[in-house]
Amino acid sequence: MGRRWVFLIGLVGAVWLLGSGHGGQQPPVTAAQRCFCQVSGYLDDCTCDVETIDRFNNYRLFPRLQKLLESDYFRYYKVNLKRPCPFWNDISQCGRRDCAVRPCQSDEVPDGIKSASYKYSEVANNLIEECEQAERLGAVDESLSEETQKAVLQWTKHDDSSDNFCEADDIQSPDAEYVDLLLNPERYTGYKGPDAWKIWNVIYEENCFKPQTIKRPLSPLASGQGLCVEKRAFYRLISGLHASINVHLSARYLLQETWLEKKWGHNITEFQQRFDGILTEGEGPRRLKNLYFLYLIELRALSKVVPFFERPDFQLFTGNKVHDAEKKMLLLEILHEIKSFPLHFDENSFFAGDKKEANKLKEDFRLHFRNISRIMDCVGCFKCRLWGKLQIQGLGTALKILFSEKLIANMPESGPSYEFHLTRQEIVSLFNAFGRISTSVKELENFRNLLQNIH
């Protein structure tokens, strides 16, 4: 029933757009309608509708989530931006100032975060600090308890296991540095042209499942005819991420620059070029619907991982106990708000067929995604690379959660969790990646209002 309504809504929108030949009987089509005429009602493969997401995100979730992401635990992200591209050598580095990333000085990062590196709780930090000084965990310090040694080895084994959907960044490398995400915001940098298009072309052409009838490499699938639900979902996730990034670039565009200051804001023309139904030959609105699909996937993962964060020994450890306790309370409030969302995506349809075929499909799914995470090291703009790596890792962490439901359910109420565990790096990327998608949904409301005044 939901898909029929989506088809009817899209059909009505298409007829309306073509209605200019009826002697002026149809009302004029506004700029907002050209971008958003098909972005309403139910989403393909979901029981949720766009309007429900807008209300939930923009008025109940977005303000609190932004407050959480401004805290010390979530604003500092360790990343290696100097890893060489593993696929080709002709990378043209972006020479624009806005492409640069300013890493943190040592005294700018809270001591608790630096000592914790990528672990997630004070207990784990204290027990494993000595072990992290060993060469890449190659040896286990015998002064640690037997239980802790076992936990370290289990965690390391799990981090390298086949359950991970992302190529792990080498944050222990001397080239890895902390970056303050608030001081290096995602916005338009001027990085475009053949080099930027090459990245997305490789992602779509070599890593996304798609039918042979697709017209253009950057033409996200409309309905996914001929693809199973898993492959269709994979394609829509990447398309949704691409759309979200383009929303950010359009919303934080360099509008004016003087020798005194730069003025950033909404570039309506840029948004229309990327999402207008006519200018994109019908693709733009479908890209926006894929953004909502991505939102539901990451929202569902956060609802599933609540038990991990509810455990009493989990802390958002920065070294400031009062601050850490307050932020954990805010985190749990947000997670319980997410859990209350009435129309969550049903991930049980994934890999539900024949076991052998399902396992093969899941492995293909994982390998494609890991390959995309490696492509991020080929991005020539360092700020784009930073946010690309973070959002890919965040989405990969969300997929890891969705496919670890039984492991999460079997976690002990306290003490080390051998089977399921998230590093600090995964936690920071998970919430910041969702924060980017949440911001995109909010910005769509802003663009919708701005476009209402354009005729």
Side-chain angles (χ1 to χ4, degrees):
M1 185 65 178
R3 294 182 183 177
R4 292 178 184 174
W5 276 111
V6 172
F7 173 78
L8 289 173
I9 291 169
L11 182 60
V12 169
V15 171
W16 194 6
L17 290 176
L18 295 173
S20 57
H22 290 280
Q25 296 178 3
Q26 298 291 342
V29 178
T30 68
Q33 289 161 349
R34 283 176 49 169
C35 286
F36 294 102
C37 67
Q38 299 174 44
V39 189
S40 61
Y42 287 98
L43 296 166
D44 298 332
D45 300 320
C46 303
T47 59
C48 188
D49 60 273
V50 168
E51 292 77 12
T52 298
I53 296 174
D54 283 341
R55 289 192 299 270
F56 177 79
N57 178 76
N58 298 348
Y59 302 105
R60 294 173 59 182
L61 194 60
F62 176 79
R64 282 186 287 179
L65 182 59
Q66 293 307 302
K67 182 179 179 181
L68 179 72
L69 296 180
E70 291 171 359
S71 66
D72 284 351
Y73 186 89
F74 289 99
R75 68 184 292 181
Y76 295 105
Y77 180 67
K78 195 171 187 182
V79 62
N80 182 359
L81 296 176
K82 298 178 182 178
R83 290 180 68 178
C85 172
F87 301 109
W88 57 83
N89 297 320
D90 58 333
I91 300 181
S92 298
Q93 300 292 349
C94 175
R96 297 175 62 91
R97 285 181 300 169
D98 294 321
C99 283
V101 171
R102 188 183 81 82
C104 296
Q105 299 298 315
S106 179
D107 59 352
E108 294 176 326
V109 182
D111 290 336
I113 290 178
K114 287 187 293 187
S115 65
S117 184
Y118 56 93
K119 299 305 175 187
Y120 63 89
S121 72
E122 183 175 15
V123 174
N125 295 336
N126 293 337
L127 293 176
I128 303 171
E129 183 176 359
E130 295 180 53
C131 187
E132 286 183 335
Q133 296 172 2
E135 184 179 352
R136 295 292 296 144
L137 294 176
V140 175
D141 190 330
E142 294 182 357
S143 65
L144 299 177
S145 70
E146 183 177 350
E147 182 182 21
T148 303
Q149 292 181 36
K150 183 178 179 182
V152 170
L153 294 175
Q154 289 283 354
W155 286 338
T156 306
K157 180 180 178 181
H158 188 272
D159 286 344
D160 296 330
S161 74
S162 60
D163 289 331
N164 283 347
F165 283 77
C166 251
E167 184 79 12
D169 204 359
D170 184 12
I171 61 172
Q172 300 301 318
S173 166
D175 290 330
E177 298 176 291
Y178 282 101
V179 173
D180 186 337
L181 298 175
L182 299 184
L183 297 181
N184 295 273
E186 183 181 27
R187 59 191 178 192
Y188 183 78
T189 65
Y191 177 64
K192 56 185 178 180
D195 293 327
W197 277 77
K198 184 177 183 178
I199 298 295
W200 285 111
N201 272 309
V202 171
I203 289 174
Y204 281 114
E205 286 295 309
E206 298 185 13
N207 295 282
C208 284
F209 305 104
K210 63 186 187 312
Q212 297 300 317
T213 56
I214 218 161
K215 297 178 183 178
R216 302 182 301 281
L218 296 186
S219 173
L221 200 58
S223 60
Q225 295 298 323
L227 293 181
C228 65
V229 64
E230 295 88 355
K231 293 182 179 180
R232 185 165 60 242
F234 186 98
Y235 199 97
R236 296 185 68 193
L237 289 175
I238 300 306
S239 170
L241 179 60
H242 192 183
S244 177
I245 291 172
N246 283 334
V247 170
H248 303 153
L249 304 187
S250 302
R252 303 195 70 169
Y253 200 91
L254 182 57
L255 301 177
Q256 185 179 355
E257 182 175 8
T258 67
W259 68 281
L260 285 175
E261 63 177 352
K262 294 180 178 181
K263 181 181 178 182
W264 303 87
H266 294 83
N267 187 322
I268 298 175
T269 301
E270 187 74 18
F271 182 84
Q272 288 177 298
Q273 288 176 348
R274 298 173 187 271
F275 299 109
D276 182 280
I278 293 178
L279 297 177
T280 62
E281 299 182 33
E283 296 294 342
R286 286 193 284 266
R287 293 169 184 163
L288 293 180
K289 294 196 78 168
N290 289 340
L291 188 158
Y292 280 100
F293 178 77
L294 171 63
Y295 181 95
L296 286 179
I297 292 293
E298 296 201 7
L299 190 77
R300 181 59 166 167
L302 289 169
S303 74
K304 288 284 187 180
V305 79
V306 172
F308 175 83
F309 293 105
E310 285 182 324
R311 300 165 77 234
D313 59 342
F314 171 80
Q315 296 182 34
L316 297 174
F317 184 66
T318 67
N320 184 329
K321 289 187 176 182
V322 174
H323 174 85
D324 294 344
E326 290 176 351
K327 295 310 173 187
K328 181 177 179 180
M329 288 181 61
L330 177 59
L331 172 69
L332 292 178
E333 287 177 9
I334 291 171
L335 288 174
H336 283 288
E337 186 73 64
I338 289 173
K339 200 170 182 179
S340 72
F341 183 70
L343 296 172
H344 273 293
F345 178 79
D346 181 10
E347 75 283 1
N348 291 324
S349 60
F350 280 3
F351 315 115
D354 175 79
K355 185 175 181 180
K356 184 177 180 180
E357 182 180 349
N359 288 338
K360 171 64 166 60
L361 194 58
K362 179 180 177 181
E363 180 65 7
D364 288 344
F365 199 95
R366 189 184 66 84
L367 291 177
H368 276 288
F369 199 87
R370 286 176 69 94
N371 200 48
I372 292 174
S373 72
R374 299 177 68 202
I375 293 174
M376 291 300 103
D377 287 316
C378 302
V379 177
C381 167
F382 284 111
K383 187 166 290 182
C384 305
R385 185 184 298 193
L386 163 67
W387 285 101
K389 288 166 80 75
L390 181 145
Q391 290 177 81
I392 288 292
Q393 184 179 34
L395 178 52
T397 303
L399 294 174
K400 169 181 171 179
I401 292 168
L402 288 178
F403 295 116
S404 302
E405 183 175 12
K406 293 182 179 178
L407 299 180
I408 295 173
N410 293 329
M411 285 190 308
E413 293 184 2
S414 61
S417 174
Y418 299 133
E419 297 300 326
F420 179 84
H421 133 82
L422 293 178
T423 66
R424 178 184 178 274
Q425 191 80 352
E426 289 174 314
I427 294 170
V428 172
S429 64
L430 173 68
F431 281 90
N432 273 284
F434 181 68
R436 294 283 76 209
I437 309 302
S438 174
T439 300
S440 293
V441 172
K442 177 64 175 176
E443 289 293 359
L444 290 184
E445 180 182 64
N446 295 332
F447 275 113
R448 193 181 284 112
N449 293 335
L450 290 170
L451 287 165
Q452 291 290 354
N453 298 321
I454 297 179
H455 298 284

